[in-house]
Amino acid sequence: MTVSMSSTPKKSLMLFSGRAHPELAEEIAKELDVSITPQSAYDFANGEIFVRFQESVRGSDAFVIQSHTDPINQWIMEQLIMIDALKRASAKRITAVVPFYGYARQDKKHRGREPISARLVADLLKTAGAHRIMTIDLHTDQIQGFFDGPVDHLLANKVLAEHLRDAYSGEDLAVVAPDSGRVRVAEKWADMMGGVPLAFIHKSRDKTRPNEVVANRVVGEVEGRCCILVDDMIDTGGTIAKATEALLADGASDVVIAATHGVLSGPAVERLSTCGAREVIITNTLPIPDEKRFPQLTVLSIAPVIARAVREVFEDGSVTNLFDGNA
């Protein structure tokens, strides 16, 4: 009579995609040479979301891909429901892959009686059952500390910088931060671009009027240079458009905008297409429909970066080594 049973553990990587940005999930799956796990997902008449996976997920290493795009609250809720379904179906480990992390700009209290919504989103993911978060270019690094577990903070700057070096290597460049808070990020960019000069835009805001810049002033030498204006996201485009205009007014020969996340809300397309920028480069962390595309826009795929990180996590490798020790 056998008194014990032993087995060799077998790992199984499974990808799951919400409905927010299925094109990116399919690109990631293609890079990994796996298929997205089939599921049934739909909305009830009152707006409630239903999800059921059509294959067994027991014991799997599950990666749930959902970018928090408009309507942002619906897609956050769908990801939470997917994670809960995986937890209750006995997935071994659940990683929330969030290319664009919703509410990231609400990472601290500016005044009394305000929420810290970025922390709330992290708490919701943890409570739903996520063991790990994988995301790209958070608005601020400290958001990693809001989640009680591993956070893989991936960087898009290599993808963007490679395109810039190929397209503008023969020009006199300067890297420009759109505000003083992004100077440290811009310093890293300047090093990546070969030690080019650094400048930044000093701007003022009215705290009672969100998404609106009051004034801009260029700090640094930009005259005669092609300025690479770098940021983590472009929402309504007001900050970036006015910064572009300020740089051109200060004598910049050209302005190229490079940002990870193209939120492109409201008047963003009109502002970006008419501000005088030579090129606007973003990644596909968020879906960019045809109506948000314009002649100067270049969209680069972030799928290879996410796929490599997913593979490293699955194989218990090093995500940090993918980014030269900076992730």
Side-chain angles (χ1 to χ4, degrees), residues 24 27 31 136-137 154-168 189 192-193 228 230 257-260 279 281-285 298-308 322-324:
L24 176 59
E27 284 188 46
E31 291 281 339
I136 299 173
D137 283 338
L154 312 183
L155 308 174
N157 54 13
K158 271 192 172 182
V159 174
L160 295 164
E162 185 175 313
H163 174 86
L164 288 165
R165 282 193 294 264
D166 289 345
Y168 302 99
W189 267 93
M192 289 183 68
M193 299 302 294
I228 310 298
V230 297
I257 297 167
T260 301
E279 186 178 16
I281 310 161
I282 58 175
T283 73
N284 63 341
T285 56
T298 300
V299 182
L300 305 176
S301 179
I302 201 69
V305 173
I306 298 175
R308 287 198 299 270
L322 296 177
F323 302 95
D324 302 323

Side-chain angles (χ1 to χ4, degrees), residues 19 26 83 89 103 107 175 185 201 215 255 259 291 323:
R19 292 174 292 166
E26 288 293 346
I83 291 168
Y103 292 91
D107 62 325
V175 170
V185 174
I201 307 292
V255 177
E291 62 269 20
F323 302 95

Side-chain angles (χ1 to χ4, degrees), residues 16-29:
F16 303 85
S17 172
R19 292 174 292 166
H21 194 0
E23 299 85 2
L24 176 59
E26 288 293 346
E27 284 188 46
I28 295 168

Side-chain angles (χ1 to χ4, degrees), residues 44-55:
F44 288 107
N46 67 347
E48 292 180 6
I49 299 167
F50 175 83
V51 175
R52 181 179 185 272
F53 304 115
Q54 295 174 4
E55 294 180 5

Side-chain angles (χ1 to χ4, degrees), residues 9 26 153 169 183 269:
E26 288 293 346
H153 188 201
S169 58
V183 169
V269 170

